[in-house]
Every structure is written in structure tokens, then in C-alpha cells.
Amino acid sequence: MKKSIALILAILMLLAGCTSGGTKQPANVDNTTDNDTSLEVSDVVQEYSSAYSGEITTLNYLETANTNEFALAANMVDTLIDYDRYGVAQPALATEWSVSDDGLVWTFKLREGVKWMTHEGKEYAEVTAQDFVDAMRYVLDSGNESKTANIAYGVIKNGEKFYNGEITDFDQVGVKAVDKYTLEYTLEKPTPYFLSMLTYVCFFPANGQFLSEVGDRFGTDNVNFLYNGAYVMETFEPQTRRVLVANENYWDKENVFIKKINYVYNKEAATLAPELFLRGEIDYTDVPSTVIDEWMKDSEKKAMVRPNRTTFYTYFYAFNFDPKFPEEYNPDNWKVVVNNLNFRKSMFHALDRKAAMLTAEPYNPEKRLLNTLTPKNFVDLEGVDYTQLGKLADFSNNDSFDSKKALEYKEKALSELQGKATFPVKVLMPYNSGMTEWANRAQVIEQQLENLLGTDYIDVIIEPKPPTGFLKEVRRSGMYAFLECNWGPDYADPETYTDPFAPDGTYNWPHMAEGYKEANGKNTYENMVNAAKSEVVDIEKRYNLFVEAEAFFIDQSFVIPYAVGGGGYSASRLNPFESPYSPFGVSSERFKGQKIMAKPMNTEEFNQGLANWEKERAEALKAAKN
């Protein structure tokens, strides 16, 4: 079923809360709920505190792809659009927008009078269209090593050519300040989901003059940073504390209720946070599976516990096809066995994901298990969920854990690898020591895999790593054989879940696997993904091409799908249904719109609040379409 580009774009804008002409029409929806605990805040000091154990490595939002880092930036820098608590697109730095009939040129009218502020609260400059041009120039300068550049150059006209040095004149790149308050993006091809990309960090603004002044110091601390968002980072003391205060010059300060945010460093935060919460020292804590029973049996503590919503982050176990770990773990041997499909399939079917999930969800582990890379309910095709299309439905509806198949593939692998590899295979599996549940899960997986497949076949070596710099030192450096990884969507399209596995990705380098290529030497998965990317008119065909690529990737056991994010339990003085909501980008990381409650929300209040929110969200989306 083919759809015209104009129709696709119109549908997207309707879903985002726009008219087909492109001007934003905010939904006329009552933002209260029947069980609105935020009403209990009149006498509460609006100051929020939390503890953390892993220090950030940069504040440079134009460079990072780390959630903890861009979550901070989301509260300090605004984007062109934002999302309300129902996921309806709202004006932010842009007050209105439109798209050309051919779907290639997007024009945004900027809000006038928004200021860039220093960490001392002094005005630096006005936010203008040129700030988005200068920021994109920074992102697309390959020397700056932006980890999100591929997101931008994947859609912006001539962006990839500039990044690769094929052209040097940035005026040829499809981003232009038409005038002081008019920004224009020209795309390589119609991109129906372009609007949904604009809350991701590579589309953030930055003042060009300030970038030139501070050079390489940009984002190294709170001083070498400019703010136009809801908060200013007043204090930045690594491995001690971070303090954000409300930006008194913020254009929408009436909707910033929490006036101060304290992040307190504690290397044992993962284990000590529940006690710190009970003592009133912090306002949020995860309640890990190791103590949830204790809390549930104590009436006072139980009244503070609520479930967490699941997210659209996807978790999976990745096989590393480019091992860089020390010789003591025999990387050469690992490279041989990981290139054997039957070895990977033996691991694929041997991993008992439910047993692993019990370390995080002891009461209902199935609610978080995921058999695909793209989560359920992310996108659909005329009412049919993406994960139920084509070959992907077989994976989505069946558990990968199968001990009989695991042992059958083990025997095949042993036969094929005889004389080529040494057994037992050392399987280096690091974990973040700052996360208690991850530490427990690593031990469960080690024992479970070795018990099923046998210690004559594999030797799973779990290795604790410090939380600060974990991604850089472990995953991005290839210092693992088998690793729990995650990925969050950057925009509203299945393509976003292919990004970690691109040849320029930093996850597990599957393009280096022997099984990745056909007999003619062409990269099978890469070609399948590229074919899907190139289809921008026929959405049914586009989605089905992505389905084929994802099904192939899973069938070849390049990764083992595991779970969706979120879930578990927490104690919090924030109302989760007040925060901005979006499956993609950074909106959900923002404190804007939230209030500190007099008491934590309990499970009954959460369940009622969730039911109300889901009903109101349906009404809000309907109103936006109309």
C-alpha cells in the first residue's frame, strides 16, 4: 500500500500535534488527573536531591551519546520542539513550523527574546537561528568526534559529504539561518519522522561565538557552558556534587516548579540510596530486588514503594566481533568461536532470560522480557504492531530459551570448531559494579550458562568495572566478549534501532563477523538496512524491509534480545505522570513541569495514576489529530 509523501508528512504532523500546514496547535486537554498527588505540594520546599555513583565524563552535549550526560543537558538547553506529559509535540524554541510540499525543506520560526546565560546567571547573547547552524557545523566536523553525528548526517543534505571531507563549504549543507529568527533544514530525502528527531542532542543549539571562545574546553565543566533551558548548573564538583538552580531568565519559568536540584556523589549509591531515602537525605531511590521483599513486608516502607513504568530502551546481550581484551582472556580464540554461528546459537538458546530478569523483577519478570530489538508498541502499521510483522512475529511471540536446542547447537559447534578453537572458551563478561542488580545478574548468568552448556565448553568470567567511564573503558573499547548493552530510540522510526550495529557504531562490530557477509562478499545486514532506509514513500514496504533485516540479525544471533528498560520499583517524591513524555529524544529526562510531593506515591496511587494517564493520553492524541 503506497502513500504519498505529502500524506505521510501530514499524518506525522497530526500525530505530533500539528496542523497539516505545519503550525503548532497545542492540544486542549485538562492536565489534571483524578488522583493528582501533585496537589499535595503547597507547603513542600521545591528542592530535589538524588545520589549517583557514576560520574559523567563531559557536559558537551554535541559530542556525547551517553544518557547520563545528555539527561543533564536536557535540563539546561532547550530544543526547537518539546513534548508534553502525554507525548504531544509542543512549541519550545520554535513557535511554529512548516514543511514544503516535497517534504525536503522544514522551516522553523524561533521564539524571540530567549537568552543564553552563563553559569553565574549573566546574559551572554540571544538565541538565534544561527545557533542551530553553528551547532550543526560542530557536530558535522569529524574532528570533534560527535557520537551522534551519524544521526544528523543521515538526514541533512550534504551532511555526510561534509563530515567525510568530500565538501568543505558548510554553506552547501542543508541547514541555514534564513534570518535571525528563521531556521531552515533541507533534507537529503523526505524523512517522515524528521520532527521526532529534533529533541535529540545533535539538533541542540549552541552559540557559535562561545564555541570559538572556549574551544576544546566546551562542556568540560559548568563554566565552559551556556544555558538557555530551565536550569543553570551552579556547582560542578566531580565525584562530590552537582547543583542545578532554576534559570530566572527562562522563557517558560512559570512551568519550572522545582527550584533546585542536588546530585550528590556516593560511590555506594546503588546500595545505600534506599537508606538515604528513608533518612530524608534524597528524594528518589530505586528499590532493588535485594531489598524489595523487606520493603513490601514493612507497612511504612510499603507505603512509599511504587512500580516504574517500562521504557522504550531495549536491552540485549552482545557478542563482540572485534575483541580488544587482554591476552589472558584469549581474544584470538574468542574471535574464532564467535564467528561460528552454531556457537552463537548455543549461547542464544542457553540464556535463561527469565532467571536473569528475576534479579530486577522478582514479582513479574515477564513484563519486561523482550524477544526483539525494537520494543512492542513503538510503531505500528495500520494498527498492527511492528513486532508482529513478517518473520519478526516468530521471534516476538516465542521465548529464545530452549535447553534442548542449546545443547544441539553446542554439539554442532564442537564438531565444526574441532582443531580450530580451544575449549572451554573464555567468555569475558564485565559488569558495572555501581549497579547492584547488574552484579547479581552477572553471577546468575555465569552459573546458569555454565550449568547448562558445561564448564568443558565455556568458562564465563565475570569482571566488575567501576561505574565512572564504564562505557568508554568497556563497551566502546571492545574490552569484552559478551556484554549486557542497551539502546534508546532517537526518533519515531524502526531505523533508530539499527543504529548501534552500523559499521561506524561502537557496540559489537557485527560487520566484522563472517556470517555477516554473503558469498559474494556483500554485507547482508547492512544492505538490508540500507534498502529499508532508502524507502521513504511506501511506509508498508519500508517497515517490512526493516522487519526482514531485524529478523535476520536475530536469527544469526549477533545479539540476544533481553528486555525493555524501566520497570522495577522505586520510592520517589516526584509524580511520574507530570514529567514530559516521549519514547525518543531527551524530553523525558526533563524536570520541567514536575513538582515535589509531600509524600511518596504508593503502588495503588501509581496504578490509578497510570490508568488515568493512559485514558487522558488517548484523548490528548485524538485532540492533537483533530
Side-chain angles (χ1 to χ4, degrees):
M1 176 200 64
K2 293 186 181 293
K3 299 179 180 179
S4 70
I5 294 173
L7 178 58
I8 293 166
L9 292 169
I11 291 171
L12 177 74
M13 288 187 287
L14 285 171
L15 290 172
C18 300
T19 66
S20 58
T23 302
K24 183 68 192 66
Q25 302 293 326
N28 182 20
V29 178
D30 183 3
N31 284 342
T32 62
T33 66
D34 295 337
N35 186 33
D36 193 351
T37 52
S38 67
L39 297 177
E40 304 175 28
V41 299
S42 58
D43 296 325
V44 177
V45 175
Q46 293 298 300
E47 183 172 328
Y48 176 82
S49 297
S50 66
Y52 69 96
S53 60
E55 188 56 83
I56 61 172
T57 58
T58 184
L59 290 171
N60 184 349
Y61 51 88
L62 300 178
E63 183 273 334
T64 188
N66 183 302
T67 304
N68 290 334
E69 292 166 351
F70 68 62
L72 278 172
N75 287 287
M76 303 186 296
V77 180
D78 268 10
T79 43
L80 287 167
I81 67 166
D82 207 349
Y83 291 88
D84 67 13
R85 66 195 190 98
Y86 299 116
V88 177
Q90 302 290 330
L93 293 182
T95 57
E96 60 183 73
W97 51 89
S98 60
V99 61
S100 60
D101 290 340
D102 61 6
L104 292 176
V105 181
W106 290 73
T107 304
F108 296 83
K109 293 294 184 180
L110 266 60
R111 187 179 304 277
E112 299 183 20
V114 178
K115 306 296 183 182
W116 287 110
M117 310 298 295
T118 70
H119 79 291
E120 296 174 322
K122 296 179 180 178
E123 181 181 329
Y124 181 87
E126 186 176 7
V127 177
T128 67
Q130 187 62 37
D131 296 329
F132 290 88
V133 177
D134 292 337
M136 187 58 68
R137 183 196 297 268
Y138 183 101
V139 168
L140 295 180
D141 182 340
S142 59
N144 291 323
E145 299 183 343
S146 169
K147 295 178 178 62
T148 62
N150 63 307
I151 303 295
Y153 69 57
V155 293
I156 301 297
K157 182 178 179 180
N158 288 331
E160 188 168 12
K161 290 181 179 179
F162 184 84
Y163 185 85
N164 292 331
E166 297 173 34
I167 61 174
T168 57
D169 182 4
F170 193 75
D171 287 342
Q172 297 180 45
V173 177
V175 55
K176 180 173 66 174
V178 178
D179 56 44
K180 189 175 182 180
Y181 302 113
T182 305
L183 175 67
E184 184 179 276
Y185 288 107
T186 301
L187 310 184
E188 284 281 5
K189 58 188 178 184
T191 306
Y193 52 86
F194 180 67
L195 196 71
S196 71
M197 303 179 78
L198 299 179
T199 58
Y200 199 50
V201 282
C202 55
F203 289 96
F204 275 36
N207 182 275
Q209 179 179 330
F210 188 77
L211 288 175
S212 298
E213 286 178 6
V214 300
D216 292 341
R217 300 194 309 277
F218 180 66
T220 54
D221 56 25
N222 62 320
V223 177
N224 292 287
F225 196 97
L226 287 183
Y227 309 81
N228 68 19
Y231 293 91
V232 171
M233 186 177 287
E234 182 181 67
T235 304
F236 179 57
E237 299 172 358
Q239 298 195 329
T240 301
R241 62 176 181 149
R242 303 189 292 258
V243 179
L244 275 61
V245 296
N247 180 359
E248 292 302 321
N249 293 282
Y250 184 49
W251 65 270
D252 194 25
K253 64 181 180 181
E254 291 78 9
N255 288 311
V256 179
F257 305 106
I258 298 174
K259 301 304 181 184
K260 190 174 185 180
I261 302 172
N262 302 299
Y263 296 92
V264 182
Y265 176 81
N266 187 316
K267 66 179 181 179
E268 303 296 334
T271 55
L272 295 182
E275 181 60 30
L276 295 175
F277 183 87
L278 292 173
R279 296 206 303 252
E281 296 181 24
I282 58 176
D283 298 299
Y284 175 90
T285 179
D286 287 315
V287 182
S289 58
T290 52
V291 299
I292 187 63
D293 281 340
E294 174 198 338
W295 280 55
M296 288 299 191
K297 292 173 182 177
D298 183 311
S299 59
E300 186 176 343
K301 293 178 181 177
K302 183 179 180 180
M304 302 180 184
V305 177
R306 65 166 173 83
N308 295 322
R309 282 190 289 189
T310 56
T311 70
F312 288 92
Y313 269 77
T314 179
Y315 284 73
F316 50 89
Y317 281 85
F319 294 98
N320 182 8
F321 294 93
D322 189 23
K324 303 291 186 182
F325 45 80
E327 287 297 324
E328 62 182 296
Y329 302 115
N330 207 342
D332 291 336
N333 192 60
W334 172 258
K335 200 162 189 176
V336 172
V337 298
V338 79
N339 275 291
N340 181 274
L341 177 59
N342 286 316
F343 176 82
R344 299 198 305 271
K345 281 185 172 287
S346 70
M347 296 275 285
F348 182 93
H349 290 293
L351 180 63
D352 187 341
R353 299 171 311 139
K354 181 178 178 180
M357 183 53 69
L358 284 169
T359 61
E361 292 280 356
Y363 294 107
N364 186 14
E366 288 87 356
K367 79 174 185 179
R368 278 191 58 194
L369 294 183
L370 178 68
N371 305 321
T372 54
L373 291 169
T374 304
K376 293 179 180 179
N377 302 317
F378 180 65
V379 292
D380 68 81
L381 185 64
E382 294 190 337
V384 178
D385 189 75
Y386 174 82
T387 64
Q388 295 301 310
L389 297 174
K391 297 177 182 178
L392 208 54
D394 293 336
F395 291 105
S396 182
N397 300 329
N398 294 285
D399 188 358
S400 60
F401 176 59
D402 188 321
S403 58
K404 183 179 178 181
K405 284 185 178 180
L407 294 174
E408 290 174 354
Y409 283 118
K410 170 189 173 182
E411 293 307 314
K412 291 179 181 179
L414 285 170
S415 175
E416 292 174 352
L417 292 169
Q418 186 175 8
K420 301 176 182 178
T422 303
F423 291 90
V425 176
K426 291 184 178 181
V427 183
L428 178 62
M429 186 173 71
Y431 65 89
N432 187 329
S433 62
M435 304 177 71
T436 303
E437 290 174 353
W438 195 347
N440 294 338
R441 187 157 52 252
Q443 296 177 52
V444 168
I445 291 174
E446 176 192 21
Q447 295 171 11
Q448 186 263 314
L449 287 176
E450 289 183 350
N451 288 341
L452 176 54
L453 294 174
T455 53
D456 60 327
Y457 184 65
I458 56 171
D459 174 19
V460 179
I461 303 168
I462 60 175
E463 187 175 72
K465 292 291 186 180
T468 298
F470 179 84
L471 289 180
K472 180 180 179 181
E473 299 301 325
V474 178
R475 196 201 75 207
R476 293 172 187 158
S477 300
M479 297 291 284
Y480 74 93
F482 190 60
L483 183 67
E484 179 180 314
C485 301
N486 69 72
W487 176 259
D490 302 324
Y491 45 88
D493 189 83
E495 180 181 337
T496 189
Y497 286 99
T498 70
D499 290 337
F501 313 113
D504 57 356
T506 60
Y507 273 70
N508 65 330
W509 304 278
H511 63 287
M512 301 183 70
E514 293 175 5
Y516 188 86
K517 299 185 177 185
E518 294 176 321
N520 61 10
K522 293 183 179 179
N523 292 333
T524 306
Y525 176 69
E526 187 178 351
N527 283 347
M528 295 171 80
V529 169
N530 286 339
K533 287 181 178 180
S534 65
E535 180 55 69
V536 296
V537 176
D538 188 338
I539 298 301
E540 181 177 4
K541 182 178 179 182
R542 176 183 176 86
Y543 280 17
N544 279 301
L545 287 171
F546 275 119
V547 161
E548 290 180 15
E550 183 169 337
F552 169 81
F553 199 73
I554 297 172
D555 181 63
Q556 294 294 299
S557 302
F558 290 117
V559 297
I560 306 175
Y562 170 50
V564 291
Y569 300 86
S570 63
S572 174
R573 293 177 64 208
L574 294 180
N575 183 339
F577 307 112
E578 290 181 338
S579 64
Y581 175 80
S582 177
F584 35 80
V586 304
S587 293
S588 294
E589 306 292 344
R590 290 181 165 132
F591 283 89
K592 179 179 175 180
Q594 298 188 73
K595 308 181 190 75
I596 297 175
M597 301 181 293
K599 63 181 182 65
M601 178 182 289
N602 61 35
T603 298
E604 182 180 352
E605 291 168 336
F606 174 86
N607 290 335
Q608 183 62 57
L610 179 60
N612 291 337
W613 178 84
E614 288 175 341
K615 178 182 177 182
E616 292 163 2
R617 181 170 189 255
E619 295 171 354
L621 294 176
K622 182 179 179 180
K625 291 180 183 180
N626 291 333

